[in-house]
């Protein structure tokens, strides 16, 4: 459709701006995940150097993560969606697989390696900033069953929150909501809420407060994937009425 300009000539109406190029989106996922892990690991190292009180260490670590994650989502969300998490990427692909504008397999294949590489780089960077060995496998075993259950709960809640916000047209609140949820989940889950396979892999590269032993990584990732599926089921159960209303409106 056209409209007349001041000279009487017709010009096209403004159209939706073009999508962000894949290279920029992948860069945002890599940088964002690296920064997130640097915040988590770095604040953990700082906390253990400042106090021997484990409660204060966890408080410092969780507060830094809340503030850092909120800023990163606000900054990079308009570029890539600020997933920083393979579970979120896979869930978005699954929910939008029938939508031509949804996240495609090509994007998924680019996002996830970038997230993993970023997470490893972020852990190495944090160690470097605090004079630690750049790569030292964590010895922090996290294989107990109650910790694995905590990862299912943490990841399911994260997916429910993100996609519930999307269903409710409230994604503008994601920086505050997601950061707040992760901060709370640090304390109400037994695993301190990794809820992210890429971050889990990255944290295996540092033998510090936030680390996880390589032998525990596969169990955590498996539970996170299960949590992602549970989260999508909960979204379908809770927010089905939103889809019905949109269908009626159309």
């Amino acid at each position: 459709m056209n409209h007349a300009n001041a000279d009487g000539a017709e010009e096209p109406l403004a159209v939706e701006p073009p999508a962000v190029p894949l290279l920029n989106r992948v860069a945002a996922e890599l940088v964002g995940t690296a920064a997130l892990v640097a915040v988590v690991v770095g604040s953990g190292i700082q906390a253990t150097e400042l106090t021997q009180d484990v409660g204060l260490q966890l408080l410092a670590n969780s507060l830094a993560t809340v503030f850092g994650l909120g800023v990163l989502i606000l900054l990079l969300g308009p570029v890539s969606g600020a997933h920083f998490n393979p579970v979120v990427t896979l869930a978005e692909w699954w929910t939008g697989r029938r939508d031509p504008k949804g996240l495609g397999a090509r994007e998924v294949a680019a996002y996830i390696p970038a997230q993993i590489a970023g997470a490893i780089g972020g852990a190495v960077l944090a160690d470097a900033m605090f004079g630690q060995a750049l790569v030292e496998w964590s010895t922090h075993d996290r294989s107990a069953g109650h910790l694995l259950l905590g990862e299912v709960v943490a990841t399911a809640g994260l997916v429910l929150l993100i996609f519930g916000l999307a269903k409710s047209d409230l994604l503008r609140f994601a920086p505050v909501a997601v950061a707040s949820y992760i901060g709370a989940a640090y304390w109400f889950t037994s695993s301190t809420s990794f809820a992210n396979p890429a971050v889990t892999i990255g944290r295996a590269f540092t033998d510090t407060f936030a680390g996880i032993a390589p032998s525990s990584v596969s169990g955590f990732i498996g539970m996170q994937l299960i949590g992602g599926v549970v989260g999508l089921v909960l979204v379908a159960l809770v927010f089905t009425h939103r889809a019905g209303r949109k269908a009626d409106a159309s």
Side-chain angles (χ1 to χ4, degrees):
M1 177 182 287
N2 296 333
H3 74 286
N5 61 20
D7 298 325
E10 289 193 341
E11 61 183 19
L13 290 172
V15 296
E16 184 177 331
V20 178
L22 180 59
L23 178 61
N24 299 111
R25 287 182 280 155
V26 170
E29 287 297 303
L30 187 150
V31 171
T33 312
L36 174 59
V37 174
V39 168
V40 172
V41 174
S43 63
I45 296 172
Q46 184 79 282
T48 56
E49 291 183 352
L50 293 175
T51 178
Q52 296 303 310
D53 187 312
V54 177
L56 287 178
Q57 291 172 357
L58 186 60
L59 178 62
N61 192 213
S62 61
L63 284 176
T65 302
V66 167
F67 294 138
L69 180 57
V71 168
L72 289 170
I73 295 173
L74 183 65
L75 175 66
L76 299 175
V79 180
S80 67
H83 297 182
F84 314 147
N85 187 333
V87 169
V88 175
T89 297
L90 289 170
E92 181 166 331
W93 164 75
W94 178 258
T95 57
R97 65 193 184 282
R98 297 187 181 91
D99 183 356
K101 295 183 179 179
L103 200 69
R106 177 168 169 260
E107 285 89 348
V108 172
Y111 271 36
I112 292 179
Q115 292 159 352
I116 294 172
I120 295 171
V124 172
L125 176 61
D127 282 339
M129 287 193 291
F130 286 91
Q132 307 286 325
L134 295 186
V135 175
E136 187 172 6
W137 299 116
S138 175
T139 56
H140 193 161
D141 180 75
R142 299 179 188 263
S143 59
H146 65 283
L147 301 181
L148 298 177
L149 176 60
E151 279 303 287
V152 175
V153 172
T155 311
L158 178 64
V159 170
L160 174 61
L161 172 61
I162 293 172
F163 289 89
L165 290 174
K167 294 282 188 183
S168 303
D169 298 321
L170 294 173
L171 273 177
R172 62 189 178 278
F173 297 114
V176 172
V178 174
S180 298
Y181 172 78
I182 292 298
Y186 256 85
W187 291 90
F188 79 76
T189 65
S190 56
S191 63
T192 65
S193 184
F194 284 48
N196 185 329
V199 169
T200 301
I201 292 171
R203 288 168 68 166
F205 283 73
T206 177
D207 192 20
T208 58
F209 177 79
I212 177 172
S215 59
S216 301
V217 167
S218 61
F220 260 48
I221 292 177
M223 294 304 103
Q224 289 157 0
L225 293 173
I226 291 172
V229 173
V230 172
L232 288 177
V233 171
L234 292 175
V235 171
L237 289 173
V238 174
F239 293 98
T240 306
H241 68 287
R242 300 291 304 185
R245 287 180 183 176
K246 289 182 178 180
D248 293 340
S250 61

